[in-house]
C-alpha cells in the first residue's frame, strides 16, 4: 500500500472529504483472494469471497456498492450494507477489509455474530457526536451537524444509516438490522479518522469547513513513531527468544524451553507461534498464541519477554502459572491496559469487543457467559475466557493479528494488551508508515545520542511539542485544527 506523496494532506473531518479513490475492489482480489464470479444474465455481482459467503455488487442504476452475506442456513441470518458512491471510500474499504479479514480468521464474527449499533454509538459519542431524538429516531449528530448516524426507535428490524454532506447533496450508507456490530463499529471508527487527499482534490463545497495537515517528515530517513501498533512491521525479521539457559535452539526457526513444556516457532516473513502446556506443547491441554508476520517486532519481543519471565518464575518456584489458565484473574484484569488507554468496550452474548480511540485497533475476548443481554460489567467480572484476539484492521498489506487460544493464561493475555498499548515510540522510516495510519500517529525526529544521566533526566520530565504547521494555501481555509496532545521530547 503506497504512502501518501508530499503534495497530499490529511483532511478532517472525513465525512466532508469527498469520495476519494474506490480501489477496494482491486485490493480484495489482490490481498484477500476474492474472485469474479461466472457471468449470469442480470447479475451485477462483481466479486465473491473465496468461501462464497460474501458478495460485492455495483448497482449503476442507483450508484451504489452493495455488500451482501446471504443466509444459507437456518442457524444464521443474512445481512447487507449499501454504500453510496459519493460517500468517502475509506468507510466502504474499512468495512470490506474487516469483513474479508474476519472471513479468513474469525468467520463466526460476521456469519453468526450478534448485530447491534451500540458499539458504533459508543465510538461516536466518545468523539463528541451529540445524541438526539427526532420523529421516532435516535440520531447522533457530528459536531459540525453535517454528518449523522440514525436508527429508528422501538424496532429491531430497522436499518442503521450513516449520512453526510457530499460535494453536491448528501451521501448515504445503510446497514441492515442484522449487520454484525463489529462492522458498524469499524464504520463509525473510520468516520473519526482523517482522509489522505491530494491538495487540489479537496471538495470545493467544503473548503470553508475542512482543515488539513501536512503529511509528516517525508524527507527524513529515520523517525520516532508512536503508537507502535500503527508504525508498521519494520524491516527486521520476526524475533525469537535469545538462546539462554532457559531457551535452546533445536533447529532454525525453533526454540524450546529448558523444561520442554514451551515451544516457539517461526520462519522468515511468517507468523510466530507459541505453544505450551503442563505436559508439553503437543498435549491436548496446551495453549497457543500466534503473532502474524506484520505485527511490529517490538510488540512481539515485549510479549516474549513477559513469557520468559513467567517461565523462569515457574521453573524456579515449581509452579504452573505459565501452563494452565489458573484462577484468580478476571477478564477486567486481563484487558485493563486497554480500558486504561481509553479503549471503548461493548458486550454481546458471546464476546467483549473493544476498539482503540484511533479506531484502527480492536480486541475481542470471548467471555463464555452465552446469556442474552450480557452487559460490559458482567463480561468484565467473569473469571474465565474462551480465546482472545487483537487486530489492527489497516488496509491490505498492513493488517496484523495476535490470536490467543482459549487456554492461554490470562496474565499472558494481559501481557499482550500491555505490549499493544505501550506508548513508547519506535524507529521507522517515515515513508514506510502506512498511509491510512498517518492521522493517528505522532512522528518526530530520532533522539540524539545521550548519556545515561541525560536519558534519566529526560524521562523525569515532559515538554509540550507544538502541532505541525497548517498547510498554507488558499485551498485549505481557516477552520482551526485542535492542537495535538503534548508529547515527551523525542516523540
Amino acid at each position: 500500500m503506497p504512502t501518501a506523496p508530499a503534495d497530499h494532506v490529511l483532511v478532517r473531518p472525513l465525512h466532508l472529504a469527498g469520495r476519494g479513490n474506490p480501489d477496494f475492489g482491486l485490493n480484495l482480489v489482490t490481498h484477500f483472494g476474492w474472485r469474479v464470479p461466472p457471468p449470469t444474465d442480470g447479475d451485477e455481482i462483481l466479486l465473491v469471497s473465496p468461501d462464497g459467503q460474501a458478495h460485492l455488487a455495483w448497482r449503476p442504476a442507483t450508484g451504489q456498492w452493495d455488500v451482501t452475506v446471504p443466509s444459507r442456513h437456518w442457524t444464521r441470518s443474512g445481512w447487507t450494507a449499501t454504500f453510496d458512491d459519493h460517500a468517502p471510500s475509506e468507510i466502504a474499504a474499512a468495512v470490506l477489509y474487516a469483513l474479508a479479514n474476519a472471513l479468513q480468521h474469525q468467520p463466526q464474527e460476521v456469519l453468526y455474530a450478534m448485530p447491534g449499533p451500540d458499539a458504533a454509538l459508543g465510538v461516536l459519542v466518545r468523539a463528541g457526536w451529540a445524541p438526539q431524538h427526532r420523529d421516532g429516531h435516535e440520531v447522533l449528530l457530528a459536531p459540525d451537524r453535517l454528518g449523522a448516524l440514525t436508527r429508528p426507535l422501538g424496532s429491531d428490524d430497522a436499518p442503521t444509516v450513516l449520512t453526510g454532506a457530499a460535494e453536491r447533496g448528501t451521501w448515504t450508507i445503510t446497514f441492515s438490522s442484522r449487520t454484525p456490530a463489529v462492522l458498524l463499529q469499524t464504520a463509525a471508527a473510520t468516520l473519526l479518522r482523517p482522509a489522505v487527499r491530494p491538495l487540489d482534490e479537496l471538495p470545493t463545497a467544503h473548503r470553508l469547513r475542512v482543515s488539513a495537515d501536512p503529511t509528516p517528515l517525508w524527507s527524513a530517513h529515520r523517525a520516532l513513531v508512536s503508537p507502535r501498533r500503527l508504525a508498521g512491521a519494520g524491516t527486521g525479521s520476526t524475533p525469537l527468544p535469545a538462546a539462554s539457559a532457559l531457551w535452546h535452539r533445536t533447529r532454525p526457526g525453533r526454540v524450546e524451553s529448558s523444561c520442554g513444556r514451551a515451544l516457539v516457532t517461526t520462519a522468515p516473513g511468517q507468523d510466530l507461534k507459541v505453544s505450551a502446556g503442563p505436559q508439553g506443547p503437543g498435549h491436548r491441554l496446551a495453549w497457543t498464541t500466534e503473532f502474524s508476520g506484520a505485527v511490529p517486532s517490538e510488540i512481539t519481543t515485549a510479549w516474549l519477554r513477559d513469557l520468559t519471565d513467567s517461565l523462569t518464575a515457574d521453573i524456579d518456584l515449581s509452579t504452573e502459572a505459565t501452563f494452565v489458565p489458573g484462577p484468580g484473574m478476571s477478564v477486567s484484569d486481563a484487558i485493563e491496559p486497554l480500558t486504561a488507554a481509553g479503549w471503548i468496550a461493548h458486550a454481546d452474548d458471546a464476546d467483549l469487543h473493544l476498539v482503540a480511540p484511533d479506531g484502527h485497533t480492536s480486541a475481542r475476548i470471548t467471555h463464555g457467559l452465552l446469556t442474552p443481554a450480557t452487559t460490559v460489567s458482567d463480561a468484565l467480572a467473569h473469571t474465565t475466557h474462551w480465546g482472545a484476539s487483537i487486530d489492527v484492521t489497516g488496509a491490505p498489506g498492513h493488517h496484523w493479528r495476535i490470536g490467543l487460544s482459549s487456554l492461554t493464561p490470562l496474565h499472558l493475555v494481559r501481557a499482550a494488551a500491555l505490549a499493544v498499548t505501550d506508548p513508547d515510540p519506535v524507529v521507522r522510516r517515515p515513508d514506510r508508515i502506512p498511509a491510512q495510519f498517518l492521522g493517528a500517529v505522532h512522528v518526530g525526529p530520532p533522539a540524539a545520542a545521550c548519556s545515561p544521566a541525560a536519558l534519566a533526566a529526560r524521562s523525569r520530565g515532559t515538554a509540550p511539542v507544538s502541532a505541525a504547521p497548517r498547510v498554507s494555501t488558499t485551498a485549505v481555509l481557516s477552520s482551526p485544527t485542535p492542537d495535538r496532545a503534548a508529547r515527551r521530547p523525542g516523540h
Side-chain angles (χ1 to χ4, degrees):
M1 188 74 176
T3 52
D7 63 344
H8 283 45
V9 291
L10 302 176
V11 184
R12 294 177 175 86
L14 178 73
H15 59 266
L16 300 181
R19 67 179 182 175
N21 180 19
D23 57 359
F24 40 79
L26 176 61
N27 285 333
L28 289 174
V29 173
T30 303
H31 296 278
F32 296 106
W34 287 42
R35 66 185 188 277
V36 178
T40 58
D41 291 340
D43 198 345
E44 298 171 314
I45 296 176
L46 293 182
L47 296 174
V48 177
S49 62
D51 57 6
Q53 301 277 16
H55 304 158
L56 174 65
W58 167 245
R59 314 292 185 192
T62 57
Q64 293 177 332
W65 297 92
D66 283 0
V67 181
T68 306
V69 175
S71 174
R72 293 189 174 92
H73 194 270
W74 67 272
T75 59
R76 81 167 208 235
S77 300
W79 58 266
T80 62
T82 302
F83 300 88
D84 188 321
D85 192 40
H86 296 289
S89 59
E90 288 85 354
I91 304 175
V95 170
L96 281 165
Y97 301 155
L99 169 62
N101 280 308
L103 288 172
Q104 288 182 351
H105 301 291
Q106 296 288 340
Q108 68 274 14
E109 282 197 341
V110 290
L111 298 179
Y112 303 95
M114 295 297 295
D118 290 347
L121 293 171
V123 169
L124 296 176
V125 168
R126 180 72 65 90
W129 287 47
Q132 296 184 2
H133 288 174
R134 287 184 182 174
D135 301 325
H137 290 74
E138 183 176 17
V139 181
L140 281 184
L141 282 177
D144 61 8
R145 306 180 70 83
L146 296 174
L149 180 148
T150 305
R151 63 170 181 170
L153 295 170
S155 174
D156 294 332
D157 295 323
T160 297
V161 181
L162 286 173
T163 55
E167 178 75 19
R168 294 181 180 85
T170 302
W171 59 258
T172 302
I173 296 174
T174 303
F175 298 97
S176 70
S177 63
R178 302 298 301 177
T179 302
V182 65
L183 299 182
L184 287 173
Q185 176 178 287
T186 296
T190 304
L191 271 172
L192 307 182
R193 307 170 190 164
V196 178
R197 295 282 189 272
L199 190 59
D200 59 0
E201 291 185 10
L202 294 179
T204 303
H206 301 319
R207 287 183 177 178
L208 291 175
R209 302 185 178 107
V210 300
S211 61
D213 289 315
T215 52
L217 298 176
W218 297 108
S219 61
H221 296 294
R222 286 158 53 89
L224 290 177
V225 183
S226 63
R228 58 184 53 185
R229 63 180 180 271
L230 304 181
T235 58
S237 59
T238 304
L240 283 170
S244 64
L246 177 65
W247 296 107
H248 62 276
R249 192 178 302 271
T250 58
R251 63 172 183 261
R254 177 186 171 107
V255 297
E256 187 176 309
S257 66
S258 59
C259 64
R261 293 181 290 173
L263 178 68
V264 184
T265 59
T266 190
Q270 296 184 8
D271 298 355
L272 181 140
K273 183 175 181 178
V274 180
S275 54
Q279 281 81 45
H283 193 266
R284 64 182 179 85
L285 295 179
W287 58 263
T288 60
T289 292
E290 294 189 48
F291 293 76
S292 68
V295 176
S297 58
E298 296 85 357
I299 291 176
T300 309
T301 299
W303 187 86
L304 289 172
R305 189 182 308 120
D306 285 320
L307 172 65
T308 299
D309 291 344
S310 182
L311 277 169
T312 301
D314 281 338
I315 292 173
D316 289 347
L317 302 174
S318 298
T319 51
E320 298 285 313
T322 307
F323 308 107
V324 296
M329 181 178 283
S330 68
V331 170
S332 176
D333 295 328
I335 56 94
E336 186 273 337
L338 305 180
T339 54
W343 290 42
I344 300 165
H346 164 68
D348 58 32
D349 292 3
D351 300 311
L352 178 69
H353 301 273
L354 300 105
V355 62
D358 56 61
H360 291 286
T361 317
S362 61
R364 177 188 58 83
I365 185 165
T366 302
H367 49 65
L369 293 173
L370 298 177
T371 55
T374 298
T375 65
V376 170
S377 58
D378 290 339
L380 291 174
H382 209 39
T383 56
T384 61
H385 79 113
W386 304 95
S389 65
I390 299 172
D391 294 75
V392 169
T393 53
H398 298 296
H399 172 267
W400 60 256
R401 179 173 183 269
I402 302 171
L404 304 108
S405 70
S406 60
L407 295 177
T408 304
L410 280 171
H411 74 280
L412 294 176
V413 177
R414 178 183 172 87
L418 280 168
V420 167
T421 55
D422 190 328
D424 287 342
V426 294
V427 177
R428 293 289 189 270
R429 282 179 50 186
D431 62 352
R432 302 290 294 177
I433 301 170
Q436 70 275 16
F437 297 157
L438 290 176
V441 297
H442 298 304
V443 182
C450 296
S451 67
L455 287 173
R458 174 176 292 181
S459 69
R460 290 192 294 268
T462 59
V465 179
S466 60
R470 296 287 307 279
V471 176
S472 177
T473 171
T474 56
V476 183
L477 299 178
S478 59
S479 179
T481 301
D483 290 340
R484 295 189 177 93
R487 304 190 290 272
R488 290 181 301 175
H491 281 224

